[in-house]
Amino acid sequence: MIFRRLLPCLVAALMALAPTLAAAASVSEVVTALEKGYASLRDLQASFAQRSELASVKKAQTGAGEVFIRKGSGAGAMFRFNYTKPRQEIISNGKKVWYYLPENRQVMTMDAASLFAGGGGVALSYLTGMGEVSRDFTVRFVGDGKDARGNYVLELVPKKPGQAFQKLHLTVSGRAVEEYLTQGRATVPFPIVSSVVFDQMGNRTAIEFSKVKVNRGVKASLFTFTPPPGVEVIQNPMGGVR
């Protein structure tokens, strides 16, 4: 008897949910949710897992660690990638970039402006919250637009020729997009679940993010680097930091 009384309520609830479950966002709506989310991003801390596939040797390289971002204006964004596997650090205070290899006892350093002036910096800029996707890329869905978990998958092709990478895939949180559509505002400052960079040589680098924390007040002191004693400093290496 209880089930019979509940059945009409259950049916009504499912009917109310059906339009929401069936609806899918357009490419422009996903991009808008992404851009508006970035607008509220001040800082970020997250774990990441990286997999690089080299076309020339058909070999994969894996890495993992923690990333910190403190948003600035233009090339003033600060970032820090602490790799635990393999052990290395990539740090920028917005003006300078350090690439530290502890096992080699070397640190390569260059101006941040030089990094972001190159094509490789364009892909990185969309992790630091500085980019305008609709301005810099031609965007479309990958496949049917969603992955198995209901997240949206975008393909971004640079509008400007001569970039160091061919295209960029971004997986955007389905929940973040749905909240934007239902509430009319972006509630997730960093809605990226994963990214894949494809370069001109057929190589690809995929990064998945987890344990994301945003706007917790990451300190600026985290984004500077003092070489330990005995570490060789290499200024402005050819090709920059990759």
Side-chain angles (χ1 to χ4, degrees):
M1 293 296 293
I2 295 177
F3 177 75
R4 289 183 178 179
R5 290 197 297 269
L6 289 176
L7 185 59
C9 297
L10 179 61
V11 172
L14 290 174
M15 290 179 66
L17 284 172
T20 302
L21 294 173
S26 65
V27 171
S28 62
E29 288 171 330
V30 176
V31 170
T32 301
L34 176 61
E35 292 180 329
K36 288 187 177 295
Y38 273 150
S40 64
L41 180 68
R42 298 191 303 275
D43 56 66
L44 165 77
Q45 177 181 350
S47 297
F48 70 89
Q50 179 176 315
R51 180 181 175 86
S52 299
E53 298 178 3
L54 307 177
S56 59
V57 295
K58 296 183 179 179
K59 182 179 179 180
Q61 298 176 341
T62 59
E66 194 170 25
V67 57
F68 299 86
I69 293 169
R70 181 181 168 105
K71 190 177 177 182
S73 57
M78 304 177 187
F79 57 86
R80 183 182 189 115
F81 288 83
N82 290 339
Y83 283 82
T84 56
K85 176 188 175 184
R87 191 177 169 216
Q88 59 186 12
E89 298 173 17
I90 305 175
I91 307 160
S92 176
N93 62 3
K95 297 179 180 179
K96 198 171 184 178
V97 179
W98 296 270
Y99 180 25
Y100 178 43
L101 300 169
E103 293 184 2
N104 295 353
R105 299 194 63 78
Q106 289 181 333
V107 58
M108 292 176 279
T109 180
M110 66 182 298
D111 293 335
S114 300
L115 172 65
F116 285 97
V122 176
L124 180 61
S125 72
Y126 293 92
L127 299 182
T128 58
M130 298 187 299
E132 295 182 24
V133 174
S134 55
R135 179 194 66 189
D136 295 336
F137 291 100
T138 299
V139 187
R140 67 180 182 88
F141 282 135
V142 174
D144 61 6
K146 284 192 174 184
D147 64 11
R149 293 178 290 180
N151 299 314
Y152 290 89
V153 186
L154 301 175
E155 179 176 276
L156 286 67
V157 177
K159 291 181 178 179
K160 292 183 179 180
Q163 299 294 339
F165 69 101
Q166 182 183 45
K167 60 184 177 181
L168 171 67
H169 285 183
L170 290 182
T171 300
V172 182
S173 165
R175 178 182 66 84
V177 176
E178 289 164 9
E179 288 182 0
Y180 166 71
L181 293 177
T182 56
Q183 299 183 29
R185 60 186 181 89
T187 58
V188 181
F190 188 80
I192 295 178
V193 177
S194 63
S195 66
V196 186
V197 177
F198 300 80
D199 72 14
Q200 303 289 0
M201 303 299 293
N203 305 315
R204 51 177 285 170
T205 300
I207 299 180
E208 292 189 6
F209 300 94
S210 61
K211 300 179 182 178
V212 177
K213 300 175 184 178
V214 298
N215 298 340
R216 300 289 183 89
V218 176
K219 295 181 179 180
S221 59
L222 192 65
F223 305 97
T224 190
F225 180 80
T226 300
V231 170
E232 179 186 9
V233 178
I234 303 174
Q235 299 283 348
N236 297 315
M238 184 66 67
V241 177
R242 297 184 185 275

